[in-house]
Amino acid sequence: MDDDRWDRWPEPWVGTDCDMRTVVGAIPREVKDGFRYDQIPWERFPHCYGPGEEVPGLLAILASGDTDAARRALGNLWEYLHHQGNGIAVGALAVPFLLRIAAAGSPELRAETLQLVAEIARCQHFGDGSREGLLQVAEDPQDADGTTMCPVDWTIQAARAAITADLHLLLPLLPDPDPEVRSATAFVLATATGEMARISSALDNRLTVEDDPTVRVSLVLAIAQLAREDHNESVAAWTRTLWSDAAQPLETRVGAALAWLCLVDDPVPDELRTLLTDPGTDQLGELFQQVPWLPPVDYYGNALRSCIDEMLARDVPGKDSFSPWA
């Protein structure tokens, strides 16, 4: 690329074969459904350990019937496509195939495969459990993938569009027998860029019958994340109703409280502060560590407590306000 194009980066790449949004959007349905890896320009997008053309071989192993080999392949895909928490451009190319493998492949690896998809489709948080950060999806448009210099947010947008195009694969997983799969499915659906009313309705319908506490929290956070992205302010009132209702299970109230704090810029009401600082809430730390949004905040400690402390500490007079609807 000439110096003038670098000075104007990334605008000259928009819509070109270096724009991951264009590349992923151009993949025909029959290529995705047929796992026709040879039709994908993997070699154009290397990862931190080598050429992207290594990725289809790992995907093929993941889709195989050899569970042990598939598990090793999935571990490599995590390292190649989400290296040290960073989004890698070639990851977006893998998303349509990962979704199909998750839907039809080994049930033992379904949840982890879906979690990889969701992480490719959202910004990296590195411990950000704040009201502004916990449900954030988009990346700074100027941040680039160090291996390809592709804007990271373009990769995220491409992955989110691919997820939205494949809702027919994801929505049937909401009643999966494995609660980890149900949570991971909610985590992925929360990154969609379209049909948000349909997705939110499906999540809400699942919430009315869900008996697993971790999944209930995941469903609430997914609905809130979609609302944040869609600027749907009505969901804030719904989350407030949930956390205010003493008849609701404690984990649902606490999950709704986190969601509400991420959706509004209001001061923390005394009632909510009391809920979040109650000793009973601290007993939920292990449960919340299984909610997909929380581990990046604190992988080895108590992510729930970290989130609560950060969200409550921000509520200090004189600090700059933030509005997710701005």
Side-chain angles (χ1 to χ4, degrees):
M1 180 178 290
D2 58 54
D3 290 341
D4 179 60
R5 290 188 75 193
W6 276 116
D7 290 342
R8 294 181 289 117
W9 180 90
E11 286 78 9
W13 286 13
V14 173
T16 71
D17 59 5
C18 293
D19 185 339
M20 184 53 72
R21 300 167 299 183
T22 300
V23 176
V24 173
I27 302 175
R29 173 77 174 267
E30 58 269 21
V31 169
K32 295 184 285 188
D33 289 345
F35 295 92
R36 291 162 56 184
Y37 299 127
D38 61 322
Q39 301 296 307
I40 307 300
W42 307 100
E43 70 287 346
R44 195 184 304 154
F45 301 97
H47 52 75
C48 295
Y49 294 100
E53 58 199 20
E54 298 174 350
V55 173
L58 293 170
L59 291 170
I61 296 172
L62 179 60
S64 73
D66 186 335
T67 302
D68 290 339
R71 194 178 304 279
R72 291 192 294 271
L74 182 56
N76 286 329
L77 286 167
W78 268 96
E79 191 68 18
Y80 292 170
L81 307 183
H82 197 250
H83 180 63
Q84 296 182 349
N86 290 300
I88 306 298
V90 72
L93 284 176
V95 163
F97 302 106
L98 287 169
L99 288 173
R100 283 157 176 77
I101 294 169
S106 171
E108 294 90 345
L109 300 177
R110 183 168 292 151
E112 190 175 351
T113 302
L114 289 169
Q115 287 172 2
L116 175 56
V117 171
E119 292 290 359
I120 293 170
R122 68 197 300 258
C123 69
Q124 310 320 313
H125 290 74
F126 297 114
D128 188 352
S130 67
R131 294 173 70 170
E132 296 85 353
L134 183 64
L135 301 183
Q136 183 178 345
V137 181
E139 185 70 77
D140 185 330
Q142 293 302 311
D143 288 344
D145 168 6
T147 59
T148 62
M149 289 308 295
C150 294
V152 174
D153 196 51
W154 289 8
T155 296
I156 293 171
Q157 290 176 40
R160 295 177 68 194
I163 288 165
T164 306
D166 283 332
L167 292 179
H168 64 288
L169 299 174
L170 286 162
L171 292 173
L173 296 178
L174 281 175
D176 190 273
D178 184 348
E180 289 188 15
V181 171
R182 300 199 296 275
S183 281
T185 300
F187 194 35
V188 177
L189 286 170
T191 65
T193 56
E195 298 195 60
M196 293 183 177
R198 176 189 175 197
I199 299 169
S200 294
S201 178
L203 294 167
D204 187 44
N205 289 338
R206 182 66 215 175
L207 182 61
T208 63
V209 298
E210 182 57 57
D211 60 1
D212 184 273
T214 302
V215 181
R216 284 199 295 267
V217 175
S218 297
L219 292 167
V220 170
L221 291 180
I223 292 169
Q225 184 169 300
L226 286 169
R228 191 182 193 277
E229 288 296 300
D230 199 33
H231 298 254
N232 182 355
E233 300 183 50
S234 66
V235 172
W238 174 75
T239 58
R240 178 157 190 158
T241 297
L242 279 182
W243 67 251
S244 300
D245 184 358
Q248 291 288 335
L250 180 58
E251 73 279 349
T252 302
R253 296 184 68 198
V254 173
L258 298 181
W260 183 81
L261 288 168
C262 291
L263 292 177
V264 304
D265 195 38
D266 300 13
V268 180
D270 290 342
E271 177 190 2
L272 180 54
R273 190 177 294 273
T274 297
L275 171 66
L276 294 179
T277 56
D278 186 278
T281 297
D282 273 335
Q283 302 305 310
L284 298 174
E286 185 174 348
L287 184 154
F288 271 75
Q289 207 70 21
Q290 307 308 311
V291 175
W293 283 260
L294 274 290
V297 176
D298 187 348
Y299 281 104
Y300 305 107
N302 188 332
L304 174 61
R305 177 46 53 193
S306 297
C307 281
I308 290 173
D309 289 347
E310 187 165 3
M311 290 184 183
L312 295 185
R314 204 214 69 174
D315 190 37
V316 176
K319 283 200 173 187
D320 292 338
S321 62
F322 165 83
S323 172
W325 317 115

mmCIF file with all atom_site columns, all heavy atoms in Angstrom, residues 11 42 141 156 172 211 249 300 314:
data_model
loop_
_atom_site.group_PDB
_atom_site.id
_atom_site.type_symbol
_atom_site.label_atom_id
_atom_site.label_alt_id
_atom_site.label_comp_id
_atom_site.label_asym_id
_atom_site.label_entity_id
_atom_site.label_seq_id
_atom_site.pdbx_PDB_ins_code
_atom_site.Cartn_x
_atom_site.Cartn_y
_atom_site.Cartn_z
_atom_site.occupancy
_atom_site.B_iso_or_equiv
_atom_site.pdbx_formal_charge
_atom_site.auth_seq_id
_atom_site.auth_comp_id
_atom_site.auth_asym_id
_atom_site.auth_atom_id
_atom_site.pdbx_PDB_model_num
ATOM 1  N N   . GLU A 1 11  ? -9.750  3.961   5.421  1.00 0.00 ? 11  GLU A N   1
ATOM 2  C CA  . GLU A 1 11  ? -10.776 4.259   4.418  1.00 0.00 ? 11  GLU A CA  1
ATOM 3  C C   . GLU A 1 11  ? -10.509 3.649   3.045  1.00 0.00 ? 11  GLU A C   1
ATOM 4  O O   . GLU A 1 11  ? -11.443 3.140   2.399  1.00 0.00 ? 11  GLU A O   1
ATOM 5  C CB  . GLU A 1 11  ? -10.956 5.775   4.287  1.00 0.00 ? 11  GLU A CB  1
ATOM 6  C CG  . GLU A 1 11  ? -11.702 6.429   5.432  1.00 0.00 ? 11  GLU A CG  1
ATOM 7  C CD  . GLU A 1 11  ? -10.841 6.621   6.672  1.00 0.00 ? 11  GLU A CD  1
ATOM 8  O OE1 . GLU A 1 11  ? -9.609  6.400   6.572  1.00 0.00 ? 11  GLU A OE1 1
ATOM 9  O OE2 . GLU A 1 11  ? -11.383 6.979   7.727  1.00 0.00 ? 11  GLU A OE2 1
ATOM 10 N N   . TRP A 1 42  ? -8.350  -18.047 2.922  1.00 0.00 ? 42  TRP A N   1
ATOM 11 C CA  . TRP A 1 42  ? -7.680  -18.122 4.223  1.00 0.00 ? 42  TRP A CA  1
ATOM 12 C C   . TRP A 1 42  ? -6.281  -17.514 4.168  1.00 0.00 ? 42  TRP A C   1
ATOM 13 O O   . TRP A 1 42  ? -5.836  -16.858 5.122  1.00 0.00 ? 42  TRP A O   1
ATOM 14 C CB  . TRP A 1 42  ? -7.578  -19.580 4.669  1.00 0.00 ? 42  TRP A CB  1
ATOM 15 C CG  . TRP A 1 42  ? -8.855  -20.334 4.676  1.00 0.00 ? 42  TRP A CG  1
ATOM 16 C CD1 . TRP A 1 42  ? -9.301  -21.208 3.726  1.00 0.00 ? 42  TRP A CD1 1
ATOM 17 C CD2 . TRP A 1 42  ? -9.875  -20.310 5.692  1.00 0.00 ? 42  TRP A CD2 1
ATOM 18 N NE1 . TRP A 1 42  ? -10.533 -21.718 4.084  1.00 0.00 ? 42  TRP A NE1 1
ATOM 19 C CE2 . TRP A 1 42  ? -10.902 -21.192 5.281  1.00 0.00 ? 42  TRP A CE2 1
ATOM 20 C CE3 . TRP A 1 42  ? -10.001 -19.628 6.910  1.00 0.00 ? 42  TRP A CE3 1
ATOM 21 C CZ2 . TRP A 1 42  ? -12.051 -21.413 6.041  1.00 0.00 ? 42  TRP A CZ2 1
ATOM 22 C CZ3 . TRP A 1 42  ? -11.140 -19.847 7.673  1.00 0.00 ? 42  TRP A CZ3 1
ATOM 23 C CH2 . TRP A 1 42  ? -12.148 -20.718 7.243  1.00 0.00 ? 42  TRP A CH2 1
ATOM 24 N N   . PRO A 1 141 ? -12.692 1.879   16.255 1.00 0.00 ? 141 PRO A N   1
ATOM 25 C CA  . PRO A 1 141 ? -12.462 1.680   14.814 1.00 0.00 ? 141 PRO A CA  1
ATOM 26 C C   . PRO A 1 141 ? -11.001 1.821   14.389 1.00 0.00 ? 141 PRO A C   1
ATOM 27 O O   . PRO A 1 141 ? -10.613 1.315   13.339 1.00 0.00 ? 141 PRO A O   1
ATOM 28 C CB  . PRO A 1 141 ? -13.329 2.778   14.170 1.00 0.00 ? 141 PRO A CB  1
ATOM 29 C CG  . PRO A 1 141 ? -14.382 3.075   15.183 1.00 0.00 ? 141 PRO A CG  1
ATOM 30 C CD  . PRO A 1 141 ? -13.705 2.904   16.520 1.00 0.00 ? 141 PRO A CD  1
ATOM 31 N N   . ILE A 1 156 ? -15.019 -7.794  13.912 1.00 0.00 ? 156 ILE A N   1
ATOM 32 C CA  . ILE A 1 156 ? -16.167 -7.977  14.795 1.00 0.00 ? 156 ILE A CA  1
ATOM 33 C C   . ILE A 1 156 ? -17.470 -7.800  14.022 1.00 0.00 ? 156 ILE A C   1
ATOM 34 O O   . ILE A 1 156 ? -18.402 -8.602  14.150 1.00 0.00 ? 156 ILE A O   1
ATOM 35 C CB  . ILE A 1 156 ? -16.090 -6.991  15.980 1.00 0.00 ? 156 ILE A CB  1
ATOM 36 C CG1 . ILE A 1 156 ? -14.899 -7.335  16.871 1.00 0.00 ? 156 ILE A CG1 1
ATOM 37 C CG2 . ILE A 1 156 ? -17.386 -6.995  16.789 1.00 0.00 ? 156 ILE A CG2 1
ATOM 38 C CD1 . ILE A 1 156 ? -14.605 -6.300  17.936 1.00 0.00 ? 156 ILE A CD1 1
ATOM 39 N N   . PRO A 1 172 ? -32.524 -22.860 17.498 1.00 0.00 ? 172 PRO A N   1
ATOM 40 C CA  . PRO A 1 172 ? -32.898 -24.201 17.970 1.00 0.00 ? 172 PRO A CA  1
ATOM 41 C C   . PRO A 1 172 ? -32.036 -24.721 19.117 1.00 0.00 ? 172 PRO A C   1
ATOM 42 O O   . PRO A 1 172 ? -32.382 -25.735 19.734 1.00 0.00 ? 172 PRO A O   1
ATOM 43 C CB  . PRO A 1 172 ? -32.719 -25.070 16.719 1.00 0.00 ? 172 PRO A CB  1
ATOM 44 C CG  . PRO A 1 172 ? -32.867 -24.128 15.574 1.00 0.00 ? 172 PRO A CG  1
ATOM 45 C CD  . PRO A 1 172 ? -32.234 -22.859 16.050 1.00 0.00 ? 172 PRO A CD  1
ATOM 46 N N   . ASP A 1 211 ? -34.861 -23.447 34.042 1.00 0.00 ? 211 ASP A N   1
ATOM 47 C CA  . ASP A 1 211 ? -34.721 -23.856 35.440 1.00 0.00 ? 211 ASP A CA  1
ATOM 48 C C   . ASP A 1 211 ? -33.273 -23.824 35.936 1.00 0.00 ? 211 ASP A C   1
ATOM 49 O O   . ASP A 1 211 ? -33.017 -24.086 37.112 1.00 0.00 ? 211 ASP A O   1
ATOM 50 C CB  . ASP A 1 211 ? -35.296 -25.259 35.651 1.00 0.00 ? 211 ASP A CB  1
ATOM 51 C CG  . ASP A 1 211 ? -34.600 -26.320 34.792 1.00 0.00 ? 211 ASP A CG  1
ATOM 52 O OD1 . ASP A 1 211 ? -33.650 -25.970 34.051 1.00 0.00 ? 211 ASP A OD1 1
ATOM 53 O OD2 . ASP A 1 211 ? -35.006 -27.491 34.865 1.00 0.00 ? 211 ASP A OD2 1
ATOM 54 N N   . PRO A 1 249 ? -35.725 -15.315 41.898 1.00 0.00 ? 249 PRO A N   1
ATOM 55 C CA  . PRO A 1 249 ? -34.514 -15.936 42.452 1.00 0.00 ? 249 PRO A CA  1
ATOM 56 C C   . PRO A 1 249 ? -33.397 -14.903 42.586 1.00 0.00 ? 249 PRO A C   1
ATOM 57 O O   . PRO A 1 249 ? -33.286 -13.981 41.761 1.00 0.00 ? 249 PRO A O   1
ATOM 58 C CB  . PRO A 1 249 ? -34.157 -17.008 41.414 1.00 0.00 ? 249 PRO A CB  1
ATOM 59 C CG  . PRO A 1 249 ? -35.434 -17.279 40.679 1.00 0.00 ? 249 PRO A CG  1
ATOM 60 C CD  . PRO A 1 249 ? -36.180 -15.983 40.661 1.00 0.00 ? 249 PRO A CD  1
ATOM 61 N N   . TYR A 1 300 ? -9.656  -15.793 37.497 1.00 0.00 ? 300 TYR A N   1
ATOM 62 C CA  . TYR A 1 300 ? -9.187  -16.653 38.580 1.00 0.00 ? 300 TYR A CA  1
ATOM 63 C C   . TYR A 1 300 ? -9.715  -16.242 39.949 1.00 0.00 ? 300 TYR A C   1
ATOM 64 O O   . TYR A 1 300 ? -9.334  -16.819 40.959 1.00 0.00 ? 300 TYR A O   1
ATOM 65 C CB  . TYR A 1 300 ? -7.656  -16.653 38.603 1.00 0.00 ? 300 TYR A CB  1
ATOM 66 C CG  . TYR A 1 300 ? -7.070  -17.035 37.278 1.00 0.00 ? 300 TYR A CG  1
ATOM 67 C CD1 . TYR A 1 300 ? -6.458  -16.093 36.458 1.00 0.00 ? 300 TYR A CD1 1
ATOM 68 C CD2 . TYR A 1 300 ? -7.156  -18.342 36.811 1.00 0.00 ? 300 TYR A CD2 1
ATOM 69 C CE1 . TYR A 1 300 ? -5.935  -16.450 35.225 1.00 0.00 ? 300 TYR A CE1 1
ATOM 70 C CE2 . TYR A 1 300 ? -6.630  -18.711 35.579 1.00 0.00 ? 300 TYR A CE2 1
ATOM 71 C CZ  . TYR A 1 300 ? -6.020  -17.762 34.792 1.00 0.00 ? 300 TYR A CZ  1
ATOM 72 O OH  . TYR A 1 300 ? -5.515  -18.114 33.577 1.00 0.00 ? 300 TYR A OH  1
ATOM 73 N N   . ARG A 1 314 ? -18.149 3.659   40.577 1.00 0.00 ? 314 ARG A N   1
ATOM 74 C CA  . ARG A 1 314 ? -18.303 4.727   39.588 1.00 0.00 ? 314 ARG A CA  1
ATOM 75 C C   . ARG A 1 314 ? -19.362 5.741   39.981 1.00 0.00 ? 314 ARG A C   1
ATOM 76 O O   . ARG A 1 314 ? -19.374 6.872   39.497 1.00 0.00 ? 314 ARG A O   1
ATOM 77 C CB  . ARG A 1 314 ? -18.666 4.117   38.225 1.00 0.00 ? 314 ARG A CB  1
ATOM 78 C CG  . ARG A 1 314 ? -18.295 5.024   37.057 1.00 0.00 ? 314 ARG A CG  1
ATOM 79 C CD  . ARG A 1 314 ? -19.289 4.901   35.928 1.00 0.00 ? 314 ARG A CD  1
ATOM 80 N NE  . ARG A 1 314 ? -20.578 5.463   36.262 1.00 0.00 ? 314 ARG A NE  1
ATOM 81 C CZ  . ARG A 1 314 ? -21.580 5.574   35.405 1.00 0.00 ? 314 ARG A CZ  1
ATOM 82 N NH1 . ARG A 1 314 ? -21.450 5.138   34.185 1.00 0.00 ? 314 ARG A NH1 1
ATOM 83 N NH2 . ARG A 1 314 ? -22.732 6.094   35.773 1.00 0.00 ? 314 ARG A NH2 1
#
